[in-house]
Structure formats: structure tokens, C-alpha cells
Amino acid sequence: MVLADLPLSERDPALAALIRRENELEATTLRMIPSENYASRAVQEAAGSVLANKYSEGYARKRYYEGQEIIDEVEELAISRVKALFGAEHVNVQPYSGSPANLAVYLAFCNAGDTIMGLSLSSGGHLTHGHGVSITGKYFKSISYGVRRSDHRIDMDEVRALAHEHKPKLMWAGTTAYPRALDWAAFREIANEVGAILAADISHISGLVVAGEHASPVGIADVVTSTTHKTFRGPRGGMIMCDQKHASAIDKAVFPGLQGGPHNATTAGIAVAALEASTPEFKRYAKQVVENAKVLAAALGEKGYAIVTGGTDNHLVLVDLTPKNVTGKVGAKALDKAGIVGNYNTVPFDPRKPFDPSGLRLGTPALTSRGFGTEEMLQVASWIDQVLTAPADEAVQLRVRNEVAELCAKHPAPGLVT
Ligand SMILES: *Cc1c(COP(=O)(O)O)cnc(C)c1O
């Protein structure tokens, strides 16, 4: 056998062992980072396929390379499925990920130095919505809106006042650590009042939107961006949806504006994910994601944790650990040792620093993919409380980790090698 035909386990045993260990970790722990999920075996097969060998700059039927007859069909299939799912007039599936998708929106509608508006990172917004460390905060004049002190919800009065004061060219509505639904129509009204382009970023919630568990901004916002790997449960990638009138600006911004050749294997994975998201099974999945988050929020609330906004409308819960005298980082690290993987996170108006903030961000998409329901979420809440009540107690962590592994064994995660 030639070297190029050897399986990974023989060609590169060291790397193969690392993948096996990650597989084991994902199989035996509770993955509660809200942006993570388990892509199906079919999605992974497509995303790891020979389609990645191809170079195909351009768009279907308008390529700069020959030999594209199959790639064109793959991309058209992905686009038509995503269009049907979201009811979008135009779809671009080429962005390499969520951040490049957002950059394409800037390039399509703004010039350097223009004023843009987005939710601040500390209120649950994304870096690419104008944060100072991001190119989007460096190359544009970035105005941030936040959440209200009283209820930690986005303050639409503040959004309106800032929009009227600064007249942004582009307004972002989208979140990465915010447990509540967004009022797309209210954002649209404000954007209209000041003549701004409205961009909705549904990176976290696109799976919920497809299933009708979160209202859709498609047809309301001028442009909608999303990752494909969070609740949408596809391969790592990005996509942009818009009305026909913005199609050419968006397509030109992605290629040749920002990127070279599209990642065709990823495109194929997106096509598979879109097929999966069109099923009744996925609808039930998304409904359970939200239900599970509500159960988790209520259970932790009853145990004395401060739940930001008092609950959740989506797939994530933001927990303020202050009442328990544990910091976010200490809490997240203790939970990690117990096999419960989340991330420390700032809470609104956090008196602590982002590197060791007051909160934890916990999500239910991955747990729900492995079939967890109410009963399991109550058990998870109990384990979280046991660990956080004694964050230095390694015996508790070890016991919980074993119990977690037992429950995981009863609910095998999809797409893993067993
Ligand atoms: C995750 C996320 C992104 C960025 O996605 P990457 O694929 O990590 O680049 C952009 N916007 C929001 C709201 C996100 O949650």
C-alpha cells in the first residue's frame, strides 16, 4: 500500500490518538458550551470528503476554474435547501465561518470609518459587532448599546436614542450570550427611522429559527448572517441570507472581496445539515433544546443561583454565581473537572474582570442532541450545584464525573466513533 492510502491510525498514530481522546472526551462529558453541538455522522462525512480537494473560485455556473460540474450541483443543492428552510430570497454559503460572514456584510454596505452599531460584548453581543479589539471596532466608528440595569434586557429605548444620535450606516441585532428573544420588528423600525441597514446575526439560534422556536428575522432584516455549526448542527461554516436586491453586493463581498476558493466539503456538509434541519425530528429537537434550557434555569434558580433576566427564551442560561460566593472561572474549572463543560462569562454590569467574571454560560444544544430531556436536566442542575457548593472538593468532582459518564453512556452522542 502506498503511504497516501494508509488510514490515519497507521499513517499518523500520534494524531489519531489525539482524535480518539477527543472523541472519548465528547462521549463521556456534558458539553454545555452553548455554541457547541454534535454534528451528525452524515454531516461529518460530507465535510471530510474529497470535495475539499477542489478549487472553485466564483459561484455556480460562473467559476474561474474548469471541472466544476459536480461542485456547482453541490453548492446549488446547499443553497436551495437553505433558501427553502428560511424562506430567503438569496443565500450565500461560502463564508468560511460566522466572523467572515459578518465581515462580508461590512464590506457590502460600509466604507472604513462609517458608523456602525451593535450590542456590546459585556451585554451579550459578539466581537464582530464592533468591539474595540476586533477589526470591526478598529476600522469603523462603533457605537454600542447595552441592556437595562433593571432587568438585563436589551433597552430598545437606548437603541433608538443612540441610533438617532449617531445615524449608523449599519445596525447589528444578534447575540452570543443573551438568553432572551430579540424583537426584530422593533430593530427594523429603528433602522428605518435613521436609514440604517439592519443586519441580524442568528449564529447561535439559527437552528431554533428554522424550527420556529425563535422568530425569524428573514424578510425583516436587510441581511441575516449565521454560523452553520451551533444550533444548526452542521459543519463549521457560515452563511448569509438576504433579499434579491442585496444579492450582488453580498456575493461580491464574500468573493472576491474577502475570500478565495470556497470550502466545498463544508458546503456539502451545510447541504446535509439543511436536509436534517428540515425534518420533524429536528423540529422536536429544537423544541426540546429550549425546554431543557428553561428546566435548567428554573432548577438552578430554585437552588439560589441568580439567573440573568430570570430565565431564558432560547438555548442558553446565564448564571450569576455571586450569591454562591464562587467566581465564574473557579466555578467553570471545578465543573470541568466534574465532566461538565461550560464557560465562564461576564454578567451584565459585572463588577469583576472578563478574565475572571461573575458568571457562567451554559447551553443545552449538545445535551439535547444526545437525547436529554427534563429528567436528565434536573440531574445536571443537581450535579452543577453539588460541584459549585464545594468548588475545591476534588472527591465531589470525581464522583460527579463518574456519574456523568454513566448517564452519558445511556445517551450516546450522535456522530461519534464508538
Ligand atoms: C459564534 C458567533 C459568531 C462567529 O462565528 P465563528 O464561526 O466563531 O467565527 C458571530 N456572531 C455571533 C452572534 C456568534 O455567536
Side-chain angles (χ1 to χ4, degrees):
M1 210 186 239
V2 293
L3 279 179
D5 287 326
L6 289 176
L8 183 65
S9 55
E10 290 169 40
R11 185 67 184 85
D12 190 343
L15 197 277
L18 288 174
I19 294 177
R20 256 200 321 278
R21 280 171 56 203
E22 175 63 22
N23 187 89
E24 174 75 7
L25 193 66
E26 294 188 19
T28 57
T29 55
L30 299 178
R31 299 176 57 233
M32 299 189 74
I33 294 169
S35 46
E36 290 190 358
N37 214 327
Y38 293 98
S40 70
R41 179 173 171 173
V43 163
Q44 291 181 63
E45 261 181 42
S49 68
V50 293
L51 298 176
N53 289 339
K54 301 288 294 190
Y55 238 98
S56 42
E57 285 181 357
Y59 291 98
R61 321 287 157 187
K62 295 171 292 212
R63 305 281 183 191
Y64 291 83
Y65 295 90
E66 300 311 314
Q68 304 301 320
E69 56 269 32
I70 293 162
I71 296 300
D72 280 358
E73 281 194 47
V74 169
E75 191 167 326
E76 285 172 340
L77 189 59
I79 288 171
S80 68
R81 285 177 178 171
V82 172
K83 267 189 188 171
L85 271 184
F86 289 90
E89 282 184 16
H90 181 75
V91 170
N92 187 309
V93 291
Q94 293 194 6
Y96 297 146
S97 207
S99 304
N102 288 353
L103 287 185
V105 172
Y106 287 94
L107 188 57
F109 299 111
C110 299
N111 292 307
D114 282 349
T115 300
I116 62 108
M117 248 177 89
L119 180 65
S120 68
L121 193 72
S122 57
S123 292
H126 193 261
L127 286 165
T128 57
H129 298 180
H131 192 277
V133 301
S134 154
I135 186 169
T136 63
K138 291 183 192 293
Y139 285 25
F140 302 97
K141 182 168 176 247
S142 170
I143 306 294
S144 294
Y145 54 90
V147 295
R148 266 191 301 263
R149 233 173 224 287
S150 57
D151 61 1
H152 295 166
R153 294 185 187 229
I154 293 173
D155 184 347
M156 294 310 293
D157 292 335
E158 187 199 11
V159 176
R160 173 171 275 110
L162 287 171
H164 280 265
E165 183 184 345
H166 297 284
K167 303 277 186 301
K169 188 96 152 267
L170 173 68
M171 269 178 60
W172 286 100
T175 63
T176 195
Y178 183 73
R180 294 297 179 177
L182 296 184
D183 184 348
W184 305 121
F187 278 104
R188 177 74 267 171
E189 206 177 294
I190 295 168
N192 285 350
E193 286 166 14
V194 301
I197 291 281
L198 177 63
D201 179 351
I202 58 171
S203 285
H204 264 258
I205 56 168
S206 47
L208 307 182
V209 167
V210 162
E213 291 297 317
H214 190 297
S216 175
V218 175
I220 298 174
D222 295 285
V223 57
V224 178
T225 63
S226 182
T227 61
T228 53
H229 46 272
K230 298 181 183 175
T231 54
F232 195 67
R233 220 160 58 175
R236 276 203 110 90
M239 56 188 173
I240 307 178
M241 294 168 258
C242 63
D243 288 348
Q244 205 53 49
K245 68 172 180 229
H246 297 307
S248 154
I250 287 293
D251 285 354
K252 279 186 195 147
V254 174
F255 175 85
L258 276 174
Q259 300 187 167
H263 293 180
N264 298 308
T266 300
T267 303
I270 293 172
V272 176
L275 176 71
E276 292 177 350
S278 70
T279 59
E281 188 190 340
F282 190 85
K283 229 177 157 58
R284 283 196 295 279
Y285 161 70
K287 196 176 169 60
Q288 192 66 49
V289 165
V290 177
E291 179 61 28
N292 283 348
K294 286 184 194 296
V295 169
L296 180 67
L300 290 174
E302 271 170 33
K303 293 178 198 300
Y305 293 84
I307 306 300
V308 173
T309 75
T312 179
D313 297 328
N314 57 28
H315 61 300
L316 69 86
V317 182
L318 204 50
V319 189
D320 185 346
L321 300 178
T322 310
K324 295 288 182 179
N325 290 316
V326 189
T327 71
K329 196 172 193 173
V330 168
K333 290 201 175 299
L335 287 170
D336 185 47
K337 285 187 189 145
I340 301 172
V341 188
N343 65 270
Y344 56 84
N345 213 98
T346 54
V347 297
F349 309 100
D350 203 324
R352 302 184 57 85
K353 296 267 184 292
F355 199 57
D356 187 9
S358 302
L360 277 179
R361 188 180 70 144
L362 298 170
T364 55
L367 296 193
T368 310
S369 285
R370 66 192 309 163
F372 278 24
T374 299
E375 189 188 325
E376 289 79 17
M377 292 317 298
L378 292 174
Q379 177 62 67
V380 170
S382 167
W383 281 328
I384 289 173
D385 184 45
Q386 289 167 39
V387 172
L388 293 181
T389 301
D393 191 332
E394 289 181 5
V396 171
Q397 290 159 11
L398 190 62
R399 172 178 57 77
V400 171
R401 189 175 182 113
N402 287 330
E403 290 173 7
V404 161
E406 269 173 44
L407 184 65
C408 286
K410 286 192 203 139
H411 296 272
L416 297 184
V417 185
T418 49

